[in-house]
Amino acid sequence: MRVKQWLTEDFEAGDLPLYCGETLRSARLHYHQIGELNAPKDNLILLPTYYGGAAAGNHPWVGHNSPLDPDEYCIVIPSLLGAGESSSPSNTPGEQAGPGFPTVSLYDNVMLQKRLVDEVFGGASIALVMGWSMGGMQALQWGCLFPQQVCSVLATCCTARCYPHNRVFLEGVKAALTCDQNFQGGHYQNPPEHGLKAFGRVYAGWAYSQAFFRHELWRSLGFNSIEALLQFWEQDHLTQDANNLLTVLDTWQRGDISDNPVFKGNYNSALNAITMPTRVMPSTTDLYFTAEDAKQDARQMPGAAFDALTSDWGHIAGGAGREPQSHQKILAAAQSLLPEIEP
């Protein structure tokens, strides 16, 4: 990729007061920057990360063959708190290491990202904030909190809060992980491998749809059997830290764009504050961020258009570069939302 600037950076935020009342000591926000900020400071695109994903997971949305062209835009990918790159249970020293890591909300993540934009990028106008899954939840949180700074929002395979059935799904994968006797309440000396493998197997059944398995779409991913796919999910989760997974899972379960000092739990008011051009794009076969819930949310956002991804890939359809047809539709939506930018 030929870009003027590609940086991997850490924003040192100092002691960070959290919405839960605790303070995250020596907080650090990891981010990737691809491209340069222009003089009017109006070409910034923000791509918050998703559950279990690193900043590099959003790179497939970026490129010279994409509307997210780093020759035109400054693309910033901030990593979720707790996910392993920014401050997390696995990399925080002292009492806040491991299970001592404090509770983090969507609001906390977005307010820290706001500091990054203001302090590092000079309070730039955000041409687009775009994300998949928990990245989309953060995009919607940005939209309601900062409608004067955010020009447009694109949220794929997400809702503006964690609905009840979604919460129950997460309880299932959490139980699969924590029932490993080696987990020891998060004080493990070695990774709880049986729990991590179980987590991956249970998650695989929810990440894709029934039709994905019925039509053997896993073959297009290079697997010769469902068991091979499940083993891939096992191995992927063996690379994750258990306490990190649980910390971000808790952020997800608590996810609600109105749960903050601005909206004080008034969900309708938070949705009504999303007045900028917004595209809500669920997958028609997503099993936990359902299209029905997403449509209900979109109806209450004055700036939103609802545009479902017709796909058998379930939740995975909305991820960067995951399913080709949906990927192209998402990029077309991004193109339609992005304003004309002066060099």
Short mmCIF file of all heavy atoms in Angstrom, two decimals, residues 167-213:
data_model
loop_
_atom_site.label_atom_id
_atom_site.label_comp_id
_atom_site.label_asym_id
_atom_site.label_seq_id
_atom_site.Cartn_x
_atom_site.Cartn_y
_atom_site.Cartn_z
N ARG A 167 -27.13 -10.66 25.32
CA ARG A 167 -26.49 -10.80 26.64
C ARG A 167 -26.45 -12.27 27.06
O ARG A 167 -25.45 -12.74 27.63
CB ARG A 167 -27.26 -9.97 27.67
CG ARG A 167 -26.55 -9.82 29.00
CD ARG A 167 -27.30 -8.87 29.93
NE ARG A 167 -27.41 -7.53 29.34
CZ ARG A 167 -28.55 -6.95 29.01
NH1 ARG A 167 -29.70 -7.60 29.21
NH2 ARG A 167 -28.57 -5.75 28.50
N VAL A 168 -27.52 -13.01 26.78
CA VAL A 168 -27.56 -14.43 27.13
C VAL A 168 -26.53 -15.22 26.33
O VAL A 168 -25.85 -16.10 26.86
CB VAL A 168 -28.97 -14.99 26.92
CG1 VAL A 168 -28.99 -16.51 27.08
CG2 VAL A 168 -29.96 -14.35 27.90
N PHE A 169 -26.40 -14.92 25.04
CA PHE A 169 -25.36 -15.55 24.23
C PHE A 169 -23.99 -15.36 24.87
O PHE A 169 -23.19 -16.30 24.99
CB PHE A 169 -25.38 -14.97 22.81
CG PHE A 169 -24.04 -14.86 22.15
CD1 PHE A 169 -23.28 -15.99 21.86
CD2 PHE A 169 -23.52 -13.62 21.80
CE1 PHE A 169 -22.03 -15.88 21.26
CE2 PHE A 169 -22.28 -13.50 21.20
CZ PHE A 169 -21.53 -14.64 20.93
N LEU A 170 -23.70 -14.14 25.30
CA LEU A 170 -22.41 -13.84 25.91
C LEU A 170 -22.22 -14.58 27.23
O LEU A 170 -21.10 -14.98 27.57
CB LEU A 170 -22.24 -12.33 26.09
CG LEU A 170 -22.13 -11.54 24.78
CD1 LEU A 170 -22.23 -10.04 25.06
CD2 LEU A 170 -20.84 -11.87 24.05
N GLU A 171 -23.30 -14.78 27.97
CA GLU A 171 -23.20 -15.56 29.20
C GLU A 171 -22.76 -16.99 28.89
O GLU A 171 -22.02 -17.61 29.66
CB GLU A 171 -24.54 -15.57 29.94
CG GLU A 171 -24.85 -14.29 30.67
CD GLU A 171 -23.86 -14.00 31.79
OE1 GLU A 171 -23.48 -14.93 32.53
OE2 GLU A 171 -23.44 -12.83 31.90
N GLY A 172 -23.20 -17.51 27.76
CA GLY A 172 -22.84 -18.87 27.37
C GLY A 172 -21.36 -19.03 27.09
O GLY A 172 -20.71 -19.96 27.59
N VAL A 173 -20.79 -18.10 26.29
CA VAL A 173 -19.37 -18.22 26.00
C VAL A 173 -18.53 -17.92 27.23
O VAL A 173 -17.46 -18.50 27.43
CB VAL A 173 -18.94 -17.34 24.80
CG1 VAL A 173 -19.52 -17.87 23.50
CG2 VAL A 173 -19.33 -15.89 25.00
N LYS A 174 -19.01 -17.01 28.07
CA LYS A 174 -18.30 -16.72 29.32
C LYS A 174 -18.24 -17.97 30.20
O LYS A 174 -17.18 -18.30 30.76
CB LYS A 174 -19.01 -15.59 30.07
CG LYS A 174 -18.31 -15.17 31.36
CD LYS A 174 -19.22 -14.38 32.29
CE LYS A 174 -19.76 -13.14 31.65
NZ LYS A 174 -20.58 -12.34 32.63
N ALA A 175 -19.36 -18.67 30.31
CA ALA A 175 -19.40 -19.89 31.14
C ALA A 175 -18.45 -20.95 30.60
O ALA A 175 -17.79 -21.66 31.36
CB ALA A 175 -20.83 -20.42 31.23
N ALA A 176 -18.38 -21.07 29.27
CA ALA A 176 -17.49 -22.06 28.67
C ALA A 176 -16.04 -21.78 29.03
O ALA A 176 -15.24 -22.71 29.24
CB ALA A 176 -17.67 -22.06 27.15
N LEU A 177 -15.67 -20.53 29.12
CA LEU A 177 -14.30 -20.15 29.45
C LEU A 177 -14.01 -20.31 30.94
O LEU A 177 -13.00 -20.91 31.34
CB LEU A 177 -14.05 -18.71 29.01
CG LEU A 177 -12.71 -18.06 29.39
CD1 LEU A 177 -11.53 -18.91 28.94
CD2 LEU A 177 -12.62 -16.66 28.81
N THR A 178 -14.88 -19.80 31.76
CA THR A 178 -14.58 -19.73 33.19
C THR A 178 -14.78 -21.05 33.93
O THR A 178 -14.33 -21.19 35.06
CB THR A 178 -15.43 -18.64 33.87
OG1 THR A 178 -16.83 -18.92 33.67
CG2 THR A 178 -15.12 -17.26 33.29
N CYS A 179 -15.43 -22.04 33.30
CA CYS A 179 -15.61 -23.32 33.97
C CYS A 179 -14.33 -24.17 33.97
O CYS A 179 -14.24 -25.18 34.66
CB CYS A 179 -16.77 -24.11 33.37
SG CYS A 179 -16.45 -24.76 31.72
N ASP A 180 -13.33 -23.74 33.18
CA ASP A 180 -12.03 -24.42 33.21
C ASP A 180 -11.44 -24.28 34.61
O ASP A 180 -11.27 -23.16 35.12
CB ASP A 180 -11.11 -23.78 32.16
CG ASP A 180 -9.78 -24.51 31.99
OD1 ASP A 180 -9.30 -25.14 32.96
OD2 ASP A 180 -9.21 -24.43 30.89
N GLN A 181 -11.09 -25.40 35.26
CA GLN A 181 -10.57 -25.35 36.62
C GLN A 181 -9.27 -24.56 36.72
O GLN A 181 -8.91 -24.05 37.78
CB GLN A 181 -10.37 -26.76 37.18
CG GLN A 181 -9.34 -27.59 36.44
CD GLN A 181 -9.18 -28.98 37.02
OE1 GLN A 181 -9.81 -29.31 38.02
NE2 GLN A 181 -8.34 -29.79 36.40
N ASN A 182 -8.57 -24.44 35.61
CA ASN A 182 -7.32 -23.68 35.61
C ASN A 182 -7.54 -22.17 35.52
O ASN A 182 -6.58 -21.40 35.65
CB ASN A 182 -6.42 -24.13 34.47
CG ASN A 182 -5.93 -25.56 34.65
OD1 ASN A 182 -5.61 -25.96 35.76
ND2 ASN A 182 -5.88 -26.32 33.57
N PHE A 183 -8.79 -21.75 35.30
CA PHE A 183 -9.07 -20.32 35.21
C PHE A 183 -8.85 -19.63 36.56
O PHE A 183 -8.34 -18.51 36.63
CB PHE A 183 -10.50 -20.08 34.73
CG PHE A 183 -10.88 -18.63 34.64
CD1 PHE A 183 -10.30 -17.79 33.70
CD2 PHE A 183 -11.81 -18.09 35.52
CE1 PHE A 183 -10.64 -16.45 33.64
CE2 PHE A 183 -12.16 -16.75 35.46
CZ PHE A 183 -11.57 -15.93 34.51
N GLN A 184 -9.24 -20.28 37.63
CA GLN A 184 -8.96 -19.83 39.00
C GLN A 184 -9.39 -18.38 39.25
O GLN A 184 -8.64 -17.58 39.82
CB GLN A 184 -7.48 -19.99 39.33
CG GLN A 184 -7.01 -21.45 39.27
CD GLN A 184 -5.52 -21.61 39.59
OE1 GLN A 184 -4.86 -20.66 39.99
NE2 GLN A 184 -5.02 -22.81 39.41
N GLY A 185 -10.61 -18.07 38.80
CA GLY A 185 -11.12 -16.73 39.03
C GLY A 185 -10.32 -15.63 38.37
O GLY A 185 -10.36 -14.47 38.78
N GLY A 186 -9.61 -15.99 37.31
CA GLY A 186 -8.78 -15.03 36.59
C GLY A 186 -7.35 -14.95 37.07
O GLY A 186 -6.52 -14.26 36.47
N HIS A 187 -7.02 -15.72 38.13
CA HIS A 187 -5.66 -15.69 38.69
C HIS A 187 -4.83 -16.86 38.16
O HIS A 187 -4.03 -17.43 38.90
CB HIS A 187 -5.73 -15.73 40.22
CG HIS A 187 -6.41 -14.55 40.83
ND1 HIS A 187 -5.78 -13.36 41.03
CD2 HIS A 187 -7.69 -14.39 41.27
CE1 HIS A 187 -6.62 -12.49 41.58
NE2 HIS A 187 -7.78 -13.09 41.73
N TYR A 188 -5.02 -17.22 36.90
CA TYR A 188 -4.33 -18.38 36.33
C TYR A 188 -2.84 -18.10 36.16
O TYR A 188 -2.42 -16.99 35.86
CB TYR A 188 -4.96 -18.75 34.98
CG TYR A 188 -5.26 -17.59 34.07
CD1 TYR A 188 -4.29 -17.08 33.21
CD2 TYR A 188 -6.52 -16.99 34.06
CE1 TYR A 188 -4.55 -16.01 32.38
CE2 TYR A 188 -6.80 -15.93 33.24
CZ TYR A 188 -5.82 -15.43 32.40
OH TYR A 188 -6.09 -14.36 31.58
N GLN A 189 -2.06 -19.14 36.37
CA GLN A 189 -0.62 -19.06 36.15
C GLN A 189 -0.26 -19.42 34.72
O GLN A 189 0.73 -18.96 34.16
CB GLN A 189 0.12 -20.00 37.13
CG GLN A 189 -0.11 -19.65 38.59
CD GLN A 189 0.32 -18.22 38.91
OE1 GLN A 189 1.44 -17.82 38.60
NE2 GLN A 189 -0.58 -17.45 39.51
N ASN A 190 -1.08 -20.28 34.12
CA ASN A 190 -0.95 -20.67 32.71
C ASN A 190 -2.30 -20.49 32.04
O ASN A 190 -3.34 -20.56 32.70
CB ASN A 190 -0.50 -22.14 32.61
CG ASN A 190 0.89 -22.35 33.19
OD1 ASN A 190 1.87 -21.77 32.74
ND2 ASN A 190 0.97 -23.18 34.24
N PRO A 191 -2.32 -20.24 30.75
CA PRO A 191 -3.59 -20.03 30.07
C PRO A 191 -4.56 -21.18 30.29
O PRO A 191 -4.16 -22.36 30.21
CB PRO A 191 -3.19 -19.92 28.59
CG PRO A 191 -1.76 -19.48 28.62
CD PRO A 191 -1.16 -20.13 29.84
N PRO A 192 -5.84 -20.90 30.57
CA PRO A 192 -6.85 -21.95 30.71
C PRO A 192 -7.25 -22.48 29.33
O PRO A 192 -8.27 -22.09 28.76
CB PRO A 192 -8.00 -21.22 31.40
CG PRO A 192 -7.85 -19.79 30.97
CD PRO A 192 -6.38 -19.55 30.82
N GLU A 193 -6.43 -23.37 28.80
CA GLU A 193 -6.56 -23.77 27.40
C GLU A 193 -7.88 -24.47 27.11
O GLU A 193 -8.48 -24.25 26.05
CB GLU A 193 -5.39 -24.67 27.01
CG GLU A 193 -4.06 -23.93 26.98
CD GLU A 193 -2.93 -24.77 26.42
OE1 GLU A 193 -3.16 -25.98 26.16
OE2 GLU A 193 -1.82 -24.25 26.24
N HIS A 194 -8.35 -25.33 28.01
CA HIS A 194 -9.62 -26.01 27.76
C HIS A 194 -10.76 -25.00 27.67
O HIS A 194 -11.65 -25.11 26.82
CB HIS A 194 -9.90 -27.05 28.86
CG HIS A 194 -8.96 -28.21 28.84
ND1 HIS A 194 -8.88 -29.09 27.79
CD2 HIS A 194 -8.05 -28.65 29.76
CE1 HIS A 194 -7.97 -30.02 28.04
NE2 HIS A 194 -7.45 -29.77 29.23
N GLY A 195 -10.73 -24.00 28.55
CA GLY A 195 -11.76 -22.97 28.53
C GLY A 195 -11.70 -22.12 27.28
O GLY A 195 -12.73 -21.77 26.69
N LEU A 196 -10.49 -21.79 26.85
CA LEU A 196 -10.34 -20.98 25.64
C LEU A 196 -10.82 -21.74 24.40
O LEU A 196 -11.48 -21.17 23.52
CB LEU A 196 -8.88 -20.56 25.47
CG LEU A 196 -8.37 -19.52 26.48
CD1 LEU A 196 -6.85 -19.44 26.43
CD2 LEU A 196 -8.98 -18.14 26.20
N LYS A 197 -10.50 -23.03 24.34
CA LYS A 197 -10.98 -23.84 23.22
C LYS A 197 -12.50 -23.95 23.22
O LYS A 197 -13.14 -23.85 22.17
CB LYS A 197 -10.35 -25.23 23.27
CG LYS A 197 -8.88 -25.28 22.90
CD LYS A 197 -8.37 -26.72 22.96
CE LYS A 197 -6.92 -26.83 22.55
NZ LYS A 197 -6.44 -28.23 22.58
N ALA A 198 -13.07 -24.16 24.40
CA ALA A 198 -14.53 -24.26 24.50
C ALA A 198 -15.18 -22.94 24.10
O ALA A 198 -16.21 -22.93 23.40
CB ALA A 198 -14.92 -24.65 25.93
N PHE A 199 -14.59 -21.83 24.53
CA PHE A 199 -15.08 -20.51 24.14
C PHE A 199 -15.14 -20.39 22.62
O PHE A 199 -16.15 -19.97 22.05
CB PHE A 199 -14.14 -19.45 24.73
CG PHE A 199 -14.57 -18.03 24.55
CD1 PHE A 199 -15.09 -17.31 25.61
CD2 PHE A 199 -14.43 -17.38 23.34
CE1 PHE A 199 -15.48 -15.98 25.46
CE2 PHE A 199 -14.81 -16.06 23.17
CZ PHE A 199 -15.34 -15.35 24.24
N GLY A 200 -14.05 -20.78 21.95
CA GLY A 200 -13.99 -20.68 20.50
C GLY A 200 -15.03 -21.54 19.81
O GLY A 200 -15.67 -21.12 18.85
N ARG A 201 -15.23 -22.77 20.30
CA ARG A 201 -16.21 -23.68 19.67
C ARG A 201 -17.63 -23.15 19.84
O ARG A 201 -18.42 -23.19 18.89
CB ARG A 201 -16.09 -25.08 20.27
CG ARG A 201 -14.94 -25.88 19.69
CD ARG A 201 -14.92 -27.32 20.16
NE ARG A 201 -13.89 -28.05 19.45
CZ ARG A 201 -14.12 -28.95 18.48
NH1 ARG A 201 -15.36 -29.21 18.11
NH2 ARG A 201 -13.12 -29.56 17.89
N VAL A 202 -17.95 -22.68 21.03
CA VAL A 202 -19.30 -22.15 21.25
C VAL A 202 -19.52 -20.90 20.40
O VAL A 202 -20.58 -20.74 19.76
CB VAL A 202 -19.54 -21.84 22.74
CG1 VAL A 202 -20.90 -21.18 22.94
CG2 VAL A 202 -19.45 -23.11 23.58
N TYR A 203 -18.53 -20.03 20.36
CA TYR A 203 -18.66 -18.78 19.60
C TYR A 203 -18.88 -19.05 18.11
O TYR A 203 -19.65 -18.35 17.45
CB TYR A 203 -17.40 -17.94 19.80
CG TYR A 203 -17.61 -16.46 19.70
CD1 TYR A 203 -17.28 -15.61 20.74
CD2 TYR A 203 -18.15 -15.89 18.54
CE1 TYR A 203 -17.48 -14.24 20.65
CE2 TYR A 203 -18.35 -14.52 18.45
CZ TYR A 203 -18.01 -13.71 19.50
OH TYR A 203 -18.21 -12.36 19.41
N ALA A 204 -18.21 -20.07 17.56
CA ALA A 204 -18.32 -20.36 16.13
C ALA A 204 -19.76 -20.65 15.72
O ALA A 204 -20.19 -20.30 14.61
CB ALA A 204 -17.43 -21.53 15.77
N GLY A 205 -20.52 -21.27 16.61
CA GLY A 205 -21.91 -21.58 16.31
C GLY A 205 -22.81 -20.37 16.25
O GLY A 205 -23.90 -20.42 15.67
N TRP A 206 -22.37 -19.27 16.85
CA TRP A 206 -23.14 -18.03 16.86
C TRP A 206 -22.63 -17.02 15.83
O TRP A 206 -23.40 -16.19 15.35
CB TRP A 206 -23.07 -17.39 18.25
CG TRP A 206 -23.90 -18.10 19.27
CD1 TRP A 206 -23.53 -19.18 20.02
CD2 TRP A 206 -25.24 -17.79 19.65
NE1 TRP A 206 -24.55 -19.56 20.85
CE2 TRP A 206 -25.61 -18.71 20.66
CE3 TRP A 206 -26.15 -16.82 19.26
CZ2 TRP A 206 -26.86 -18.69 21.26
CZ3 TRP A 206 -27.40 -16.79 19.86
CH2 TRP A 206 -27.74 -17.72 20.84
N ALA A 207 -21.38 -17.09 15.49
CA ALA A 207 -20.80 -16.10 14.59
C ALA A 207 -21.34 -16.25 13.17
O ALA A 207 -21.51 -15.25 12.46
CB ALA A 207 -19.28 -16.23 14.57
N TYR A 208 -21.61 -17.49 12.76
CA TYR A 208 -22.17 -17.75 11.44
C TYR A 208 -23.65 -18.13 11.59
O TYR A 208 -24.13 -18.36 12.69
CB TYR A 208 -21.42 -18.90 10.77
CG TYR A 208 -19.92 -18.73 10.71
CD1 TYR A 208 -19.09 -19.41 11.59
CD2 TYR A 208 -19.33 -17.88 9.78
CE1 TYR A 208 -17.70 -19.26 11.54
CE2 TYR A 208 -17.95 -17.73 9.71
CZ TYR A 208 -17.14 -18.43 10.61
OH TYR A 208 -15.79 -18.27 10.56
N SER A 209 -24.34 -18.20 10.48
CA SER A 209 -25.76 -18.54 10.52
C SER A 209 -25.98 -20.04 10.29
O SER A 209 -25.06 -20.77 9.89
CB SER A 209 -26.51 -17.76 9.44
OG SER A 209 -26.22 -18.29 8.15
N GLN A 210 -27.23 -20.47 10.50
CA GLN A 210 -27.58 -21.85 10.19
C GLN A 210 -27.35 -22.14 8.69
O GLN A 210 -26.85 -23.20 8.33
CB GLN A 210 -29.05 -22.11 10.55
CG GLN A 210 -29.35 -22.01 12.03
CD GLN A 210 -29.85 -20.63 12.44
OE1 GLN A 210 -29.57 -19.64 11.76
NE2 GLN A 210 -30.58 -20.57 13.55
N ALA A 211 -27.70 -21.16 7.85
CA ALA A 211 -27.55 -21.35 6.40
C ALA A 211 -26.09 -21.47 6.00
O ALA A 211 -25.76 -22.17 5.04
CB ALA A 211 -28.21 -20.19 5.65
N PHE A 212 -25.21 -20.79 6.71
CA PHE A 212 -23.78 -20.88 6.44
C PHE A 212 -23.31 -22.33 6.52
O PHE A 212 -22.56 -22.81 5.66
CB PHE A 212 -23.00 -20.02 7.45
CG PHE A 212 -21.51 -20.10 7.32
CD1 PHE A 212 -20.82 -19.26 6.46
CD2 PHE A 212 -20.78 -21.02 8.07
CE1 PHE A 212 -19.44 -19.32 6.35
CE2 PHE A 212 -19.39 -21.10 7.97
CZ PHE A 212 -18.73 -20.24 7.10
N PHE A 213 -23.78 -23.03 7.54
CA PHE A 213 -23.39 -24.43 7.70
C PHE A 213 -24.20 -25.34 6.76
O PHE A 213 -23.65 -26.29 6.20
CB PHE A 213 -23.58 -24.86 9.15
CG PHE A 213 -22.60 -24.19 10.09
CD1 PHE A 213 -22.97 -23.11 10.85
CD2 PHE A 213 -21.29 -24.64 10.16
CE1 PHE A 213 -22.06 -22.48 11.70
CE2 PHE A 213 -20.36 -24.03 11.00
CZ PHE A 213 -20.76 -22.94 11.77
#
